[in-house]
């Protein structure tokens, strides 16, 4: 029924011009001509699409079709003829503006009611700017075909449309703006003749009766409710729309198992349920829908092996199971689906080897055009049968674990347009043979493999590529000469490919206008190439981590991302007209740029990321930076900037990350309390002097990383910091803070829970936040591992009182540094609760008492410093502490004893008594083997010494006389002392 209806409307449209010719002898009805003129006058037509609507015979006007006998207007074809590119209209403002000018707009006049025999009305792809669908359309009872799709109407769909009892085709779909809504579909059930119903994009979240009302349309063959905010599928005792051929429920919010009534509609050929929350198992009765030619279940939550019932659907031409959690091996039964043209299993959990596709008997898989297996865990070699899929246009096996070499038979796929084998474990040599017949290839992606390109310097490829992605393959040390032949390249990514030369002149000539260029992480030297403005805005130029030197070239006006960090660029940043720049991401870090921070950046209103860190910039911060309302990240770390931090930065309400550390800023921390989305605040290593503002804790509720270390902050630690539930880094070291440590810091749940990576809303750029922190006694820069850092550093202040027991509740803490203060009391006994702790520094305080035995239960502890306190008692042993055997850990604590100190504890028999029993036994074994040999050697040693001594006295007269005189004096002295003691004893008893 649907096919016949669509053919009917197609024939009507194709016969449109012929109808005009046949009607040459019949003119339009005058009253209807006047109605069309009124309609035109109410319409806004910037592109003069209705310019032909002049003269007496309206049947000759463009878009108007009349009955060739009566002259009555029967059809209005006012669909926008301009091609529409949905992706382009979202990023290309000039394209969007030009397209809008081709749209009809304004008001729809009620004069259309005078067209009493009008049965076909198409106003689709126009722009009525959110106006409501006119209610009078419900009175045009002759209508059989009504298409208002993507015409940007708004408001509720009028229930009056239910009066069009003869309507067979209704399309209100709007995939662009989604402004239409319906709180009920009761009016739909009155359209008893309806065969085609498209409400895609119409918001049906409140229309809970949608299924029961649509179920009353027995002739319905096509139903499209995609992107309609449908939340659930109500129970349905019996499906009455048994003529249904196509059902599309894509991109809704349905979270349920698949309804069983669905599998009773044996007429179904197209079933699209993608982009919902369907879950559970796929019923076996799916295999009964043998008429299905298209099945889309992508982007759901199916978590099973690939269902066997699918292999009964031998008429399938389109199968999309991507973006689920299907798992296990792909069975060889896949060969039963040999009529497939589109096959997508990407982004699942499939494992094992991909079975060979049996392309015989002919024509099995002869029509397969798209094969997508990316983002799984499949392994083994690439099936050689892939090289026999002669209709294949796209082969994507990226992001798996395929290994071995690439079959040279892939070079025989004459129709192949896209080849993506990136991010696997492929090895071997890539030669001309792999591309010998790929004349239609436009996209080549082989990045992140261990592939070596070995082409002749004279090789001329048979293709003209638009996309080249070969990152981390071996291309160098010179740029491949075959790149000179590629004159249509829009995207070139050859980072980390071993290129070690200056860029040749031909490269700048061919690639200076490329849309996406990534030459990063090579050894390319010389001056930066000069880039010309391209034909498409929002270009990305990534040249970081090379050896470019000399001055920085001006930023092309059409560049969105400009990254030349980690080079040897010198001089100042060239002045430009910032108003003309489309720049969103500017990364110039780790160069030798000097001069002041350029003012023109304040004019780049769309900029989101500015990273000028690790340069030699000087001067003060421009106050106009506060005008950049779209700025998400500002990183000026490690420069020579000075002065006060301007208070205008407080106007950057969208800022997520602020890095001003390692400069020479002084004064107070400006009021930033309105930057409520801020997740990183780093002003460490400056000369700021101010009490820590309470608003940090009161207003910055999203703060995760706070670094104020090495400044001159004074006063108490504000307890308001305890109100930051997501805080992972608290670094207040090296200031003049006094008072106690707030016990409420134990409420920082961000140091307990597991953390995910920080993602900044930047356009197609992997820019990770970075923070400097001292951990394990060494200053480190955390970048990719920053999300996993949890640290409290309050060292080198003037803090007093005891260490709060509440800190021991921070079970996710990795680093705790309280050294260099005046803390007293004991180390908390619950220190062993910090199970994740890797670094603990309590040195240079006034802590007393014993070291808690629970310290030995910290299995990840790799850095410990308790030196220069007043600790006493035996040092705990066992587990991880056995590896921390450096005496300096405990030095300056005179009361400590035991291993690893040489000082034994009271009651120890030997210096090693504090060792573990195993160690004592080992020492005892050593003593048992040592002392027998000691006694054996004692006698001969004594004899040899005595003989030597007597020999000296015998042959050396002066020594012999002196020796005996000494003996004589010693004997007299001993006798004198003995006589005196005897006399004192007698005197005492008398």
């Amino acid at each position: 029924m649907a096919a016949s209806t669509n053919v009917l409307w197609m024939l009507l449209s194709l016969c449109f011009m012929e109808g005009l010719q046949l009607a040459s002898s019949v003119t339009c009805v005058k009253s209807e001509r006047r109605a069309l003129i009124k309609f035109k006058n109410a319409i806004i037509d910037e592109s003069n699409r209705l310019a032909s609507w002049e003269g007496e015979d309206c049947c000759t006007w463009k878009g108007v079709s009349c009955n060739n006998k009566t002259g009555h207007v029967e059809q209005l074809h006012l669909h926008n003829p301009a091609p529409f590119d949905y992706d382009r209209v979202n990023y290309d403002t000039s394209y969007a503006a030009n397209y809008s000018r081709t749209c009809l707009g304004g008001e729809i006049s009620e004069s259309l009611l005078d067209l009493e025999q009008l049965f076909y009305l198409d106003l689709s792809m126009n722009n009525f700017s959110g106006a409501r669908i006119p209610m009078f359309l419900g009175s045009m009872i002759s209508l059989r075909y009504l298409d208002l799709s993507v015409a940007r109407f708004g408001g509720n769909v009028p229930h009056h449309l239910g009066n069009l009892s003869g309507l067979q085709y209704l399309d209100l779909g709007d995939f662009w703006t989604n402004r239409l809504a319906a709180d009920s579909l009761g009016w739909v059930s009155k359209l008893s003749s309806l065969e085609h119903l498209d409400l895609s994009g119409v918001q049906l979240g409140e229309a809970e009766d949608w299924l029961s009302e649509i179920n009353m349309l027995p002739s319905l063959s096509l139903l499209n409710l995609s992107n309609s905010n449908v939340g659930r599928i109500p129970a349905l005792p019996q499906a009455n729309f048994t003529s249904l051929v196509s059902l599309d429920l894509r991109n809704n919010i349905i979270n349920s198992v698949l309804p069983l009534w669905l599998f009773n509609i044996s007429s179904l050929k197209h079933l699209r349920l993608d982009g919902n929350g369907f879950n559970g198992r796929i019923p076996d009765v799916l295999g009964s829908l043998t008429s299905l030619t298209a099945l889309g279940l992508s982007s759901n939550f199916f978590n099973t092996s690939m269902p066997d019932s699918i292999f009964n659907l031998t008429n399938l031409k389109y199968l999309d199971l991507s973006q689920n959690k299907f798992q296990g091996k792909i069975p060889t039964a896949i060969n039963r689906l040999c009529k497939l043209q589109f096959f997508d299993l990407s982004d699942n959990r499939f494992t094992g080897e991909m079975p060979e596709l049996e392309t015989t008997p002919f024509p099995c898989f002869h029509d397969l055009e798209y094969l997508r297996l990316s983002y799984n865990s499949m392994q083994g070699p690439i099936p050689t049968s892939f090289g026999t899929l002669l209709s294949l246009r796209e082969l994507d096996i990226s992001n798996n674990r395929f290994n071995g070499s690439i079959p040279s038979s892939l070079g025989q796929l004459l129709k192949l347009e896209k080849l993506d084998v990136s991010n696997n474990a492929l090895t071997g040599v890539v030669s001309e043979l792999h591309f010998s017949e790929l004349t239609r290839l436009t996209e080549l992606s082989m990045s992140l493999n261990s592939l070596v390109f070995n082409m002749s310097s004279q090789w001329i490829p048979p293709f003209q590529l638009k996309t080249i992605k070969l990152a981390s393959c071996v291309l160098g040390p010179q740029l491949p000469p075959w790149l000179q032949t590629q004159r249509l390249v829009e995207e070139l990514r050859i980072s980390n490919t071993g290129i070690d030369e200056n860029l040749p002149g031909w490269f700048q000539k061919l690639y200076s206008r490329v849309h996406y260029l990534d030459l990063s992480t090579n050894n390319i030297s010389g001056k930066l190439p000069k880039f010309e403005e391209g034909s498409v805005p929002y270009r990305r130029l990534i040249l970081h981590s090379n050896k470019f030197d000399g001055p920085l070239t001006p930023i092309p006006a059409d560049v969105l991302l400009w990254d030349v960090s980690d080079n040897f660029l010198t001089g100042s940043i060239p002045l430009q007209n910032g108003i003309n720049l489309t720049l969103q991401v500017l990364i110039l870090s780790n160069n030798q740029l000097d001069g002041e921070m350029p003012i023109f950046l304040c004019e780049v209103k769309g900029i989101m990321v500015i990273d000028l860190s690790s340069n030699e910039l000087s001067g003060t911060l421009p106050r106009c930076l506060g005008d950049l309302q779209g700025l998400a990240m500002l990183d000026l770390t490690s420069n020579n900037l000075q002065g006060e931090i301007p208070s205008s930065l407080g106007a950057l309400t969208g800022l997520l990350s602020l890095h001003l550390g390692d400069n020479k800023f002084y004064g107070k921390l400006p009021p930033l309390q309105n930057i409520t989305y801020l997740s990183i605040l780093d002003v460490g290593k400056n000369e700021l002097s101010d009490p820590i503002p309470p608003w940090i804790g009161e207003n910055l509720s999203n703060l995760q990383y706070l670094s104020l270390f090495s400044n001159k902050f004074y006063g108490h630690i504000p307890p308001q910091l305890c109100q930051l539930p997501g805080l992972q880094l608290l670094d207040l070291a090296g200031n003049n803070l006094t008072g106690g440590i707030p016990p409420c810091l134990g409420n920082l749940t961000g140091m307990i829970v597991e953390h995910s990576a920080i993602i900044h809303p930047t356009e197609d750029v992997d820019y990770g936040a970075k923070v400097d922190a001292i951990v394990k006694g060494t200053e480190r820069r955390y970048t990719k591992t920053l999300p996993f850092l949890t640290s409290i550093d309050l060292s080198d202040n003037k803090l007093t009182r005891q260490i709060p027991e509440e800190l021991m509740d921070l079970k996710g803490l990795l680093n705790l540094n309280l050294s260099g203060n005046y803390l007293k009391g004991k180390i908390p006994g619950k220190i062993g609760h910090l199970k994740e702790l890797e670094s603990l520094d309590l040195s240079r305080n006034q802590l007393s008492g014993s070291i808690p035995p629970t310290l030995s239960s910290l299995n990840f502890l790799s850095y410990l410093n308790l030196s220069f306190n007043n600790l006493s008692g035996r040092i705990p042993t066992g587990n991880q502490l056995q590896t921390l055997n450096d005496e300096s850990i405990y030095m300056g604590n005179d009361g400590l004893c035991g291993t690893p100190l040489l000082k034994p504890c009271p009651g120890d028999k030997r210096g090693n008594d504090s060792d573990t029993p195993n160690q004592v036994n080992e020492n005892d074994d050593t003593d048992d083997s040592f002392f027998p040999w000691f006694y054996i050697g004692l006698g001969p040693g004594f004899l040899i010494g005595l003989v030597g001594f007597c020999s000296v006295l015998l042959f050396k007269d002066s020594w012999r006389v002196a020796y005996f005189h000494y003996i004589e004096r010693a004997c007299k002295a001993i006798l004198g002392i003995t006589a005196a003691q005897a006399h004192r004893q007698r005197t005492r008893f008398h």
Side-chain angles (χ1 to χ4, degrees):
M1 181 65 73
S4 61
T5 302
N6 290 334
V7 169
L8 174 62
W9 295 124
M10 186 179 298
L11 290 174
L12 288 171
S13 300
L14 291 175
C15 293
F16 171 59
M17 294 304 297
E18 294 182 11
L20 291 178
Q21 295 176 357
L22 293 173
S24 58
S25 61
V26 179
T27 61
C28 70
V29 178
K30 291 184 179 180
S31 61
E32 294 184 355
R33 178 186 178 278
R34 289 193 296 270
L36 291 175
I37 292 296
K38 290 180 181 179
F39 173 82
K40 176 186 176 182
N41 291 337
I43 289 291
I44 297 174
D45 182 14
E46 294 186 32
S47 60
N48 289 320
R49 283 170 47 192
L50 305 183
S52 66
W53 286 29
E54 294 179 350
E56 293 298 322
D57 190 1
C58 63
C59 293
T60 62
W61 295 352
K62 184 176 182 180
V64 180
S65 176
C66 299
N67 185 289
N68 59 359
K69 294 182 179 180
T70 64
H72 284 290
V73 176
E74 293 183 335
Q75 301 182 47
L76 286 181
H77 296 260
L78 300 179
H79 171 93
N80 189 345
F84 182 79
D85 187 333
Y86 178 76
D87 292 328
R88 188 176 177 186
V89 79
N90 285 321
Y91 71 81
D92 190 339
T93 54
S94 62
Y95 171 80
N98 289 332
Y99 183 83
S100 293
R101 279 192 289 271
T102 67
C103 294
L104 299 179
E107 297 182 7
I108 299 176
S109 172
E110 289 190 31
S111 63
L112 290 181
L113 289 172
D114 295 333
L115 307 178
E116 295 181 355
Q117 297 189 25
L118 187 73
F119 66 82
Y120 187 107
L121 177 59
D122 186 352
L123 296 173
S124 61
M125 303 303 295
N126 287 293
N127 184 7
F128 291 97
S129 304
R132 293 180 178 270
I133 296 175
M135 287 188 292
F136 71 79
L137 291 180
S139 301
M140 301 178 68
I141 57 176
S142 296
L143 281 178
R144 301 293 181 269
Y145 184 107
L146 178 59
D147 190 349
L148 305 180
S149 62
V150 199
R152 281 174 275 184
F153 287 104
N156 284 330
V157 177
H159 296 181
H160 303 75
L161 294 181
N163 297 330
L164 304 177
S165 57
L167 199 65
Q168 299 174 12
Y169 186 106
L170 176 60
D171 191 347
L172 305 179
D174 191 343
F175 57 81
W176 191 0
T177 55
N178 302 104
R179 293 179 178 178
L180 286 172
D183 54 8
S184 171
L185 291 187
W187 55 273
V188 170
S189 60
K190 301 177 182 179
L191 306 177
S192 56
S193 301
L194 202 62
E195 299 175 7
H196 181 115
L197 177 60
D198 190 338
L199 299 180
S200 58
V202 178
Q203 299 304 293
L204 302 177
E206 297 182 5
E208 297 184 358
D209 59 351
W210 70 269
L211 183 57
S212 60
E213 299 298 333
I214 291 175
N215 193 39
M216 299 176 68
L217 303 175
S219 301
L220 194 66
S221 62
L222 183 145
L223 175 61
N224 188 347
L225 300 182
S226 61
N227 296 285
S228 296
N229 200 33
V230 174
R232 69 185 189 93
I233 299 180
L236 189 66
Q238 181 179 353
N240 295 325
F241 36 71
T242 54
S243 299
L244 201 63
V245 173
S246 178
L247 175 61
D248 192 342
L249 295 176
R250 283 178 293 173
N251 302 320
N252 283 291
I253 52 176
I254 304 170
N255 184 8
S256 69
V257 297
L258 294 174
L260 292 179
W261 57 261
L262 190 63
F263 306 105
N264 294 327
I265 309 175
S266 58
S267 58
L268 271 180
K269 291 185 177 181
H270 305 273
L271 178 59
R272 300 298 303 273
L273 304 177
D274 317 70
N276 282 283
F278 287 112
N279 51 69
R281 62 184 298 272
I282 296 177
D284 294 336
V285 290
L286 171 66
S288 64
L289 300 180
T290 54
S291 297
L292 274 181
T293 60
L295 175 62
L297 300 177
S298 66
S299 301
N300 282 288
F301 298 105
F302 295 113
N303 187 10
T304 65
S305 59
M306 196 170 179
D308 294 335
S309 55
I310 285 182
F311 305 130
N312 292 330
L313 308 178
T314 55
N315 288 312
L316 276 181
K317 296 181 180 179
Y318 180 101
L319 177 59
D320 190 353
L321 304 181
S322 63
Q323 298 185 25
N324 280 282
K325 297 180 181 179
F326 287 114
Q327 54 194 271
K329 295 182 178 181
I330 298 176
T332 56
I334 197 70
N335 285 292
R336 297 179 61 185
L337 306 179
C338 63
K339 292 183 181 179
L340 282 175
Q341 298 176 5
F342 181 99
F343 187 26
D344 193 346
L345 300 181
S346 61
D347 204 358
N348 278 287
R349 298 177 178 177
F350 289 114
T351 58
E353 296 187 7
M354 175 68 188
E356 294 283 355
L357 298 182
E358 300 173 2
T359 54
T360 57
F362 184 85
C364 204
F365 294 112
H366 178 73
D367 296 324
L368 187 61
E369 297 183 5
Y370 297 90
L371 178 56
R372 298 172 180 172
L373 305 174
S374 61
Y375 291 96
N376 283 286
S377 297
M378 301 172 68
Q379 56 192 17
I382 299 174
T384 56
S385 59
F386 286 2
T388 64
L389 304 174
L390 297 182
S391 296
L392 207 60
R393 298 173 59 188
E394 178 180 328
L395 175 60
D396 187 350
I397 61 171
S398 62
N399 297 281
N400 278 283
R401 300 175 185 174
F402 286 107
N403 51 39
S405 58
I406 298 176
S408 59
S409 60
L410 296 185
Q412 303 301 312
L413 300 177
L414 297 170
K415 297 181 180 180
L416 196 65
E417 299 172 5
K418 175 182 177 180
L419 175 60
D420 191 347
V421 298
S422 58
N423 200 13
N424 279 285
L426 299 172
T427 57
V429 175
V430 179
S431 65
E432 295 99 322
L433 194 60
H434 290 90
F435 308 104
S436 57
E437 302 295 334
L438 305 187
T439 57
R440 299 186 184 181
L441 194 67
T442 60
E443 296 184 38
L444 175 62
S445 300
M446 294 185 169
S447 299
L448 302 175
N449 285 290
S450 298
L451 298 171
V452 178
F453 277 69
N454 185 16
M455 276 79 168
S456 166
S457 60
Q458 306 300 318
W459 180 57
I460 299 178
F463 47 67
Q464 283 292 322
L465 297 176
K466 292 184 178 180
T467 300
I468 304 175
K469 298 179 182 179
L470 303 176
S472 298
C473 295
V474 178
L475 303 181
Q478 296 177 330
L479 281 168
W482 62 267
L483 286 178
Q484 297 183 61
T485 68
Q486 304 302 296
R487 303 184 181 279
L488 302 177
V489 176
E490 299 174 355
E491 184 173 355
L492 177 62
R493 302 192 191 194
I494 52 174
S495 62
N496 190 30
T497 52
I499 299 172
D500 189 359
E501 66 167 348
N502 289 6
L503 291 180
W506 60 262
F507 184 87
Q508 180 170 311
K509 182 178 180 180
L510 281 176
Y511 294 97
S512 62
R513 295 185 179 182
V514 71
H515 302 166
Y516 194 118
L517 177 63
D518 187 352
L519 303 178
S520 62
T521 320
N522 283 291
N523 288 312
I524 303 173
S525 52
K527 309 300 180 186
L528 278 177
K530 294 182 179 179
F531 293 97
E532 300 179 12
E533 291 189 21
S535 57
V536 176
Y538 309 118
R539 297 161 64 200
R540 296 154 180 83
L541 304 178
I542 305 171
L543 308 176
H544 69 79
S545 305
N546 279 287
K547 296 180 180 179
F548 290 113
D549 56 21
L552 179 67
T553 56
I555 305 168
D558 58 349
V559 168
L560 177 144
L561 167 62
W562 178 244
D563 184 355
V564 292
S565 59
D566 293 288
N567 280 286
F568 299 96
L569 301 174
T570 57
S572 59
I573 300 174
L575 298 178
Q576 294 185 242
N577 184 353
I579 297 176
N580 296 329
L581 296 181
T582 60
L583 193 65
Q584 290 188 9
V585 179
L586 176 64
I587 308 177
L588 306 179
S589 58
N590 289 293
N591 281 287
Q592 300 167 20
L593 300 173
D594 54 27
E596 296 187 351
M597 187 171 176
I599 300 293
F600 77 85
L601 290 179
C602 299
E603 301 172 346
V604 187
K605 300 304 180 184
I607 199 162
M608 299 173 66
V609 171
I610 298 177
D611 185 356
L612 308 180
S613 62
S614 299
N615 279 287
E616 299 172 6
L617 300 177
S618 57
T620 59
L621 276 187
R623 296 186 179 276
C624 61
L625 287 176
D627 298 335
L628 300 176
Q629 292 301 304
L631 196 63
M633 179 177 293
L634 177 62
D635 192 344
L636 303 175
T637 308
S638 300
N639 279 284
N640 296 316
L641 298 168
Q642 57 186 357
E644 295 187 348
I645 300 174
S647 59
S648 59
L649 295 186
L652 300 175
T653 54
L655 199 64
L656 300 177
S657 185
L658 178 61
H659 307 256
L660 302 177
D662 195 14
N663 280 284
K664 299 176 181 178
F665 294 116
Y666 56 78
K668 296 183 177 182
L669 191 65
L672 306 175
Q673 61 266 34
N674 293 329
I675 314 180
T676 54
Y677 294 106
L678 198 66
S679 64
I680 300 177
L681 176 58
D682 181 3
V683 294
K685 297 177 73 172
N686 280 287
E687 300 174 12
L688 299 174
S689 179
D690 190 23
I692 297 177
W695 52 256
I696 293 179
E698 293 171 344
N699 296 81
L700 307 184
S701 58
N702 292 295
L703 200 64
Q704 293 178 271
Y705 303 92
L706 175 62
S707 179
L708 308 180
F709 82 102
S710 191
N711 277 283
K712 299 177 181 178
F713 288 102
Y714 57 87
H716 292 187
I717 298 175
Q720 288 84 353
L721 296 183
C722 304
Q723 301 175 23
L724 299 172
L727 196 66
Q728 295 178 224
L729 170 68
L730 177 61
D731 192 347
L732 309 179
N735 284 284
N736 296 314
L737 300 174
T738 56
I741 299 173
C744 63
L745 291 181
N747 297 328
L748 297 175
T749 54
M751 300 188 185
I752 299 176
V753 298
E754 184 179 349
H755 308 290
S756 58
I758 301 174
I759 300 175
H760 294 286
T762 57
E763 186 74 27
D764 196 17
V765 55
D766 181 16
Y767 183 86
K770 57 179 180 284
V771 168
D772 293 337
I774 297 177
V775 177
K776 300 181 182 180
T778 305
E779 184 171 344
R780 308 179 182 193
R781 175 156 292 180
Y782 287 83
T783 53
K784 292 182 179 180
T785 59
L786 179 60
F788 311 106
L789 174 64
T790 50
S791 172
I792 292 180
D793 191 345
L794 307 179
S795 61
D796 295 314
N797 280 286
K798 299 177 181 179
L799 300 174
T800 57
R801 304 175 193 166
Q802 296 183 349
I803 300 174
E805 287 276 350
E806 289 80 357
L807 292 185
M808 306 304 111
D809 295 331
L810 303 178
K811 298 178 181 180
L813 198 63
L814 299 181
N815 175 58
L816 179 60
N817 190 347
L818 305 178
S819 63
N821 284 287
Y822 300 100
L823 299 174
K824 299 180 180 181
K826 296 182 177 182
I827 300 175
K830 296 195 302 182
I831 190 96
H833 290 188
L834 304 179
K835 296 296 185 181
E836 303 297 322
L837 202 64
E838 297 179 4
S839 176
L840 175 63
D841 193 343
L842 303 178
S843 64
R844 296 179 291 119
N845 278 288
Q846 298 175 10
L847 300 173
S848 57
S850 60
I851 300 174
T854 57
L855 192 67
S856 63
S857 65
L858 301 179
N859 295 326
F860 298 104
L861 193 67
S862 58
Y863 180 87
L864 176 64
N865 193 348
L866 303 178
S867 62
F868 299 103
N869 279 285
N870 298 317
L871 301 172
S872 58
R874 186 185 298 276
I875 297 173
T877 58
N879 298 330
Q880 190 69 7
L881 289 183
Q882 295 296 108
T883 64
L884 302 173
N885 53 10
D886 188 346
E887 294 183 33
S888 64
I889 293 174
Y890 306 101
M891 68 167 35
N893 292 280
D894 295 337
L896 288 178
C897 59
T899 305
L901 300 179
L902 298 178
K903 178 182 177 181
C905 292
D908 292 346
K909 295 181 179 179
R910 291 189 296 272
N912 290 332
D913 279 357
S914 61
D915 293 342
T916 62
N918 289 337
Q919 291 173 315
V920 173
N921 292 337
E922 291 172 0
N923 291 336
D924 288 346
D925 292 342
T926 303
D927 291 345
D928 291 343
S929 61
F930 171 77
F931 280 102
W933 289 104
F934 173 79
Y935 291 120
I936 291 173
L938 185 62
F942 176 79
L943 180 60
I944 293 172
L946 180 63
V947 171
F949 176 74
C950 293
S951 298
V952 172
L953 295 182
L954 179 63
F955 297 103
K956 192 72 173 179
D957 293 338
S958 60
W959 282 34
R960 184 172 62 253
V961 172
Y963 174 74
F964 285 110
H965 281 171
Y966 171 76
I967 293 295
E968 185 178 10
R969 288 196 300 271
C971 290
K972 289 181 178 179
I974 291 172
L975 290 172
I977 292 171
T978 302
Q981 288 179 345
H983 177 71
R984 283 197 295 273
Q985 291 290 336
R986 287 195 298 269
T987 304
R988 177 187 300 176
F989 289 107
H990 289 287

